[in-house]
Amino acid sequence: MKRRATRSYAALDLGTNNCRLLIAEPAHHGFRVTDAFSRIVRLGEGLGLGNSLSDDAIERTIDALRVCRDKMIAKDVIRARLVATEACRLAKNGPSFIERVRSDLDLDLEIVDRKTEAYLAVTGCAALADPKAQSVIVFDIGGGSTEIAWLDGQAPHAFADPCKRIRAWDSLPVGVVTLAERHGGVNVTPESFQGMVEEVSELLMDFALMAAEAGRANHFHLLGTSGTVTTVGGIHLGLARYDRRRVDGMWMRNGEISTVMHRLLHSNFQQRAENPCIGKERADLVLAGCAILEAIRRAFPSDRLRIADRGLREGILMNMMREDSVWREGSQR
């Protein structure tokens, strides 16, 4: 039976910092991206200090979501899943914001729980895990929360559901926006950086105890997805302009990560803003992200980190296509 020539799916991830859309069609091995959109909206601005989405943040986000809606219409999307994460979970006016999106834009945003977010992140990037690794710690550093999971055992085959290997998971109520707001992100000293690391380490303690055996397995490594790790990767490569094709899937050694972090910690705000892999919009957040990464590295020492420029949206697309059995012919026979 022949498939339709075009069958577009859409996944939208509305986080505390970013609004990101991916539109794709099934392909023989996974899917082919036909359109994408990403904009920093800072929906969760102020949530580290209060509990409401601000009017300005809502308007910025509505504008971005309007672009996403128009792209989905233009691509004749047949199935979409649009998820909102920590900012909408925390804000007391989150439900009214969701209702406004529905009435103004005819988009149904779904506020997902922390477990769903963690599992989607794993689904989206687990294909990059070393096939020989008997144990992997996967993490996603977000704007308002950080998801972390322990994958135990090797993947049986490329299309296997990686969530079946999750032995422990957690969602830490801290992300780059909330951490930077509490500790300051513009002028970061070694002392204030250490304070951020210690706060995250404390939040990570329960998961570190649950996954204490992870690092003892053969070929153990870390697998990170987020703007923080892709930025660290881009800086290490010395890119004049961020290039997803060079960063997604790259490996970094422990010492290389430390070198980039040391460089960032000893740069000022202006120098960070001028770095093409950071930019002005994220210069006040990057060291908060590095503090979260550092806490994870201390809890789970590893000489290898694999960097994923993929995550929640890819996980959503994989799940929808798996549910629709789009790979039944051939790939999963």
Side-chain angles (χ1 to χ4, degrees):
M1 189 175 123
K2 264 192 169 178
R3 295 192 193 95
R4 285 167 48 183
T6 57
R7 197 176 182 194
S8 290
Y9 290 75
L12 185 143
D13 170 17
L14 177 59
T16 303
N17 198 41
N18 284 287
C19 175
R20 306 175 78 200
L21 172 75
L22 211 54
I23 300 175
E25 296 172 357
H28 182 60
H29 294 293
F31 52 79
R32 182 177 69 88
V33 174
T34 58
D35 204 357
F37 173 79
S38 179
R39 182 181 292 176
I40 293 175
V41 293
R42 296 211 180 193
L43 177 61
E45 195 171 58
L47 274 179
L49 309 167
N51 63 352
S52 288
L53 305 175
S54 73
D55 291 342
D56 286 349
I58 287 172
E59 293 309 320
R60 289 194 299 266
T61 306
I62 292 286
D63 286 345
L65 289 170
R66 186 174 290 111
V67 175
C68 294
R69 179 200 61 187
D70 293 347
K71 283 180 173 289
M72 287 189 281
I73 291 169
K75 290 292 182 183
D76 196 23
V77 167
I78 61 155
R79 190 173 173 202
R81 188 177 183 191
L82 322 175
V83 305
T85 56
E86 188 73 357
C88 290
R89 283 196 294 259
L90 287 179
K92 65 179 182 184
N93 57 343
S96 62
F97 165 72
I98 297 292
E99 186 48 50
R100 174 157 173 213
V101 171
R102 186 179 291 116
S103 61
D104 287 11
L105 303 176
D106 195 29
L107 293 177
D108 284 320
L109 274 177
E110 167 194 358
I111 302 178
V112 293
D113 60 30
R114 289 186 167 93
K115 181 177 181 179
T116 301
E117 185 175 1
Y119 276 53
L120 286 172
V122 166
T123 303
C125 69
L128 288 177
D130 181 347
K132 298 191 295 291
Q134 297 284 349
S135 178
V136 181
I137 292 290
V138 183
F139 60 91
D140 181 0
I141 301 169
S145 66
T146 295
E147 280 61 51
I148 188 162
W150 173 22
L151 298 192
D152 189 24
Q154 288 177 270
H157 57 82
F159 280 89
D161 181 357
C163 294
K164 291 179 178 171
R165 294 159 58 208
I166 294 178
R167 176 122 168 234
W169 70 276
D170 202 356
S171 178
L172 313 180
V174 65
V176 298
V177 175
T178 47
L179 197 62
E181 284 181 351
R182 282 201 293 277
H183 292 265
V186 175
N187 300 309
V188 181
T189 65
E191 293 74 27
S192 63
F193 182 79
Q194 183 60 28
M196 289 193 276
V197 175
E198 286 171 3
E199 179 182 330
V200 180
S201 294
E202 199 168 312
L203 292 169
L204 193 54
M205 206 172 290
D206 286 348
F207 177 79
L209 287 170
M210 285 190 289
E213 294 173 39
R216 301 187 194 121
N218 290 335
H219 306 291
F220 168 73
H221 70 89
L222 302 176
L223 170 56
T225 170
S226 71
T228 296
V229 292
T230 57
T231 296
V232 168
I235 292 171
H236 171 66
L237 293 174
L239 299 181
R241 186 173 178 226
Y242 181 78
D243 183 349
R244 180 188 186 275
R245 291 167 300 176
R246 292 189 61 187
V247 173
D248 182 51
M250 71 177 281
W251 290 95
M252 284 187 73
R253 294 289 179 185
N254 194 44
E256 294 168 340
I257 300 165
S258 296
T259 298
V260 172
M261 284 197 183
H262 183 268
R263 179 178 157 192
L264 287 172
L265 190 51
H266 291 84
S267 61
N268 60 36
F269 176 81
Q270 190 59 36
Q271 289 168 326
R272 297 195 299 272
E274 288 169 359
N275 188 297
C277 292
I278 301 172
K280 193 168 69 174
E281 286 186 305
R282 294 175 55 248
D284 62 332
L285 304 177
V286 67
L287 281 167
C290 285
I292 297 171
L293 174 57
E294 179 61 19
I296 293 169
R297 292 170 72 216
R298 290 183 188 180
F300 299 98
S302 171
D303 191 46
R304 299 188 300 159
L305 165 69
R306 194 159 207 196
I307 294 175
D309 189 341
R310 57 179 84 181
L312 209 67
R313 295 171 303 164
E314 288 82 359
I316 291 169
L317 290 170
M318 292 292 285
N319 279 349
M320 287 192 294
M321 292 178 189
R322 193 180 280 123
E323 286 161 10
D324 288 354
S325 303
V326 301
W327 299 298
R328 186 169 287 166
E329 298 168 23
S331 296
Q332 284 190 330
R333 193 172 291 160

